[in-house]
Amino acid sequence: MLDEWNYPRHSRGVTEVAGLYAVGLPWLTRHASATLALVGADARYVAEHIAGR
């Protein structure tokens, strides 16, 4: 379940595998997703998805 760059396939950090999420990957949602400055926005989205919001 990896993409052509060997990263997990996902949609905004939500993978195809139940309970498996990703943050901090390059280009998760934008160019700077892998930087400390912007990983928070991606992590917030994943956390809200887990919480069912």
Side-chain angles (χ1 to χ4, degrees):
M1 304 208 189
L2 301 175
D3 65 15
E4 60 273 15
W5 297 286
N6 288 321
Y7 290 118
R9 281 191 290 228
H10 65 87
S11 176
R12 294 191 69 188
V14 180
T15 71
E16 301 169 350
V17 179
L20 181 63
Y21 302 90
V23 294
L25 298 175
W27 291 101
L28 190 74
T29 58
R30 60 187 67 87
H31 175 66
S33 287
T35 66
L36 189 56
L38 292 178
V39 72
D42 295 334
R44 186 176 310 106
Y45 176 83
V46 170
E48 289 173 352
H49 181 274
I50 293 169
R53 296 185 190 155

